[in-house]
Amino acid sequence: GLTYQPLQPVTFYASWSRSFSPTLAAQFTPGGKPFPSEYGHQYEGGVRTTELQGRLSSSLALYRIRASNLLITNPGNPLASIQIGTTGSKGIEFETSGRILPGWDVTFAYAYNEARILADAVYPAGNIFQNAPRHGGSLWTVYQLQRGPLNGLNFGGGFMARSYRFVDPSNDVVLPGYGRLDAMAGYAFGPIRKEEKMFKLSANIENITDRKYFQSGNTPDVIFPGSPVNVLGRLEVHF
């Protein structure tokens, strides 16, 4: 990889990598032989910047990936696996996050991903790879009160979305796109320990509108729905 920083707030980078992963010993082809190892390579380049006097940082990346022998669930038998000959994906990822005002943090992310089958003995070249949305993004913001009797109280929320996905490499079954709203609230109190208040109480609420959606699928017969409204409470103690 290479990194070049022409100016203090701007950094350009480029990288190339190869990957290799043996398959599990317990996984065998329909003929009873071990699956060949998975391997691939990736090209990536992009730029990272800082804005608002360092309070906000952003990154933009472009990538291209080629992978061979990827293991997936057999569409005709959820208890078995098959391999896809060669797949490829290319896309763009953008993310920006930081504190735009005192106590106000914001994170925004967007990804465009075009994942397709390039060559295979069974499935046509050009088919979209399963569970790979073309578009995905999220926005999350949190504000913490800075003074007064409620100093330490923070609250926020966000939105995440995914475009349609195919369940199987034949592209016969499609899952519709969806969006989900989440929220959180927290309170930090007690004595200061290592520049933080000793106790932190928080609650996170996922899918606050209780929207019904499908998250992913292994085969046309095995599809996983998204969770209904879900509340998670947590107490942290710092010492």
Side-chain angles (χ1 to χ4, degrees):
L2 295 173
T3 300
Y4 176 60
Q5 188 176 32
L7 302 171
Q8 182 64 32
V10 180
T11 301
F12 296 95
Y13 74 93
S15 67
W16 173 79
S17 61
R18 295 185 64 184
S19 62
F20 170 82
S21 176
T23 55
L24 296 176
Q27 294 175 310
F28 297 93
T29 67
K33 297 181 180 180
F35 281 110
S37 299
E38 300 176 358
Y39 59 92
H41 61 268
Q42 172 176 318
Y43 300 91
E44 182 176 342
V47 57
R48 302 186 182 98
T49 63
T50 57
E51 303 89 20
L52 301 179
Q53 299 177 341
R55 300 194 309 273
L56 192 70
S57 60
S58 304
S59 64
L60 177 66
L62 290 81
Y63 63 87
R64 180 186 292 269
I65 302 172
R66 293 290 184 273
S68 299
N69 300 332
L70 287 182
L71 274 176
I72 65 170
T73 301
N74 188 338
N77 182 4
L79 300 180
S81 300
I82 60 172
Q83 282 185 311
I84 300 296
T86 304
T87 61
S89 62
K90 58 183 178 180
I92 300 173
E93 295 179 343
F94 173 76
E95 181 176 356
T96 183
S97 63
R99 177 158 294 186
I100 57 178
L101 290 173
W104 187 12
D105 295 329
V106 174
T107 299
F108 170 77
Y110 168 76
Y112 171 85
N113 180 41
E114 184 179 326
R116 296 184 179 274
I117 296 174
L118 301 181
D120 188 73
V122 176
Y123 300 105
N127 277 18
I128 298 176
F129 198 62
Q130 64 186 104
N131 292 316
R134 183 69 59 88
H135 303 278
S138 63
L139 174 64
W140 183 258
T141 180
V142 176
Y143 180 74
Q144 178 170 322
L145 299 179
Q146 301 294 292
R147 58 178 64 89
L150 295 180
N151 179 24
L153 176 66
N154 60 88
F155 49 89
F159 178 80
M160 61 91 67
R162 298 289 184 271
S163 62
Y164 70 90
R165 293 91 61 221
F166 287 101
V167 171
D168 59 333
S170 295
N171 291 176
D172 293 330
V173 179
V174 62
L175 300 181
Y178 69 92
R180 191 186 76 192
L181 286 171
D182 301 332
M184 64 81 60
Y187 183 59
F189 58 97
I192 301 296
R193 293 289 188 271
K194 296 181 180 180
E195 299 182 355
E196 290 185 309
K197 293 189 176 182
M198 185 173 182
F199 302 102
K200 288 186 177 180
L201 185 65
S202 62
N204 290 272
I205 308 174
E206 294 183 353
N207 195 11
I208 60 177
T209 60
D210 200 23
R211 175 165 184 173
K212 294 178 175 60
Y213 65 95
F214 296 105
Q215 188 167 359
S216 63
N218 284 343
T219 73
D221 298 321
V222 182
I223 297 175
F224 303 100
S227 299
V229 58
N230 182 34
V231 181
L232 174 65
R234 181 168 59 185
L235 174 63
E236 299 179 35
V237 181
H238 298 261
F239 52 88

